[in-house]
Amino acid sequence: YQQCIINATIFSQKDNAWGYVTTGGTEGVIKGVAAGVNHLRLRYDNILMIWSSQAHYCVSKAASLIFGSGATGIQPLHAVIPANKRGELDLTEVKKVMSCCKMLDVQSIMLVATLGTTFKGGNDNLNALRAIFTDSGFSRDQISVHIDAALNGGWWNLAQDTPKYKIGVEFDSISVSGHKWYGGFIGGFVMLSRILDESSSKTMSSKSSVQYIKLEDKMISG
């Protein structure tokens, strides 16, 4: 059942991603952000997490769970960016934040973008955001992007007038709420690029391999 749902997605192909059915959209966001942070922390200490003021409230919950306790040993830096009239991340405000990165010794970026904000249906422009990060001196391996595919998650790539983002290219992980997906199944799913899944696994303890179920425990809910 899980494999059928993951294979049905249009964001990737089976050979470049791994995913699972979650308890809901919140778990998907937490897993995607955690995997991105784990990937970045293999090389960098100071991570700046960026999201929109119009993003779902679970994004701030993910930031609090992952950075709040200080257990990761990572300097927690967060930027909640105002949205424009369309409900998208305001690119001018993003540039202002990025201009401060050198002063704050920011070494990498964890971006949570939204496809279809709750109240305005705004879609964050990944290509424009990546261009801003590049202009600010951040290379591809210094950036991890998770997409919270909210209101428009299930239908994003079916509309002719939308950019066709691909996992492992414009973004590294994506989560979709099941009730906004085709058929409206209960729960949701999260998908990670291969490189994100592999680096995330490296940061897990050796006890993550559970012998009696013959699986690696990669899922938040077990």
Side-chain angles (χ1 to χ4, degrees):
Y1 173 72
Q2 293 196 56
Q3 196 63 53
C4 288
I5 292 175
I6 297 302
N7 289 349
T9 182
I10 48 187
F11 294 99
S12 77
Q13 297 175 348
K14 287 184 287 185
D15 61 351
N16 74 340
W18 170 89
Y20 71 96
V21 175
T22 68
T23 58
T26 295
E27 181 184 341
V29 169
I30 293 172
K31 177 63 178 178
V33 173
V37 169
N38 284 337
H39 173 65
L40 292 172
R41 69 182 291 211
L42 293 174
R43 296 185 180 182
Y44 309 104
D45 293 323
N46 292 354
I47 301 172
L48 172 63
M49 183 170 164
I50 296 174
W51 68 94
S52 167
S53 61
Q54 289 289 310
H56 193 269
Y57 61 84
C58 71
V59 178
S60 60
K61 183 190 299 185
S64 178
L65 287 170
I66 294 164
F67 292 97
S69 66
T72 59
I74 303 170
Q75 180 68 29
L77 296 170
H78 305 154
V80 182
I81 308 292
N84 60 24
K85 292 181 180 180
R86 296 184 298 274
E88 305 163 349
L89 271 166
D90 190 312
L91 299 179
T92 300
E93 296 298 323
V94 174
K95 291 177 182 178
K96 290 179 182 178
V97 170
M98 296 308 296
S99 68
C100 301
C101 284
K102 187 173 182 180
M103 179 181 66
L104 296 172
D105 191 29
V106 174
Q107 299 171 3
S108 58
I109 303 293
M110 178 70 234
L111 170 68
V112 180
T114 304
L115 295 185
T117 56
T118 301
F119 295 105
K120 296 184 178 181
N123 301 301
D124 294 334
N125 189 331
L126 291 189
N127 293 327
L129 288 163
R130 281 198 171 278
I132 292 172
F133 298 152
T134 299
D135 291 344
S136 301
F138 289 87
S139 61
R140 178 66 178 85
D141 70 343
Q142 290 177 284
I143 305 164
S144 186
V145 178
H146 176 77
I147 293 180
D148 175 21
L151 288 180
N152 297 334
W155 312 103
W156 177 253
N157 277 337
L158 297 181
Q160 293 183 355
D161 59 346
T162 60
K164 303 301 183 280
Y165 299 141
K166 289 297 180 182
I167 197 165
V169 182
E170 289 89 1
F171 67 96
D172 304 290
S173 61
I174 189 168
S175 53
V176 179
S177 297
H179 62 283
K180 298 164 188 169
W181 187 251
Y182 321 112
F185 65 91
I186 301 300
F189 76 79
V190 63
M191 181 178 298
L192 310 177
S193 65
R194 282 295 179 199
I195 187 170
L196 208 63
D197 177 43
E198 290 168 3
S199 60
S200 179
S201 297
K202 290 178 183 176
T203 62
M204 300 172 73
S205 70
S206 58
K207 293 182 180 179
S208 63
S209 179
V210 184
Q211 186 174 4
Y212 64 86
I213 62 173
K214 298 180 180 179
L215 289 173
E216 283 192 23
D217 183 18
K218 297 181 179 181
M219 297 169 274
I220 290 177
S221 56

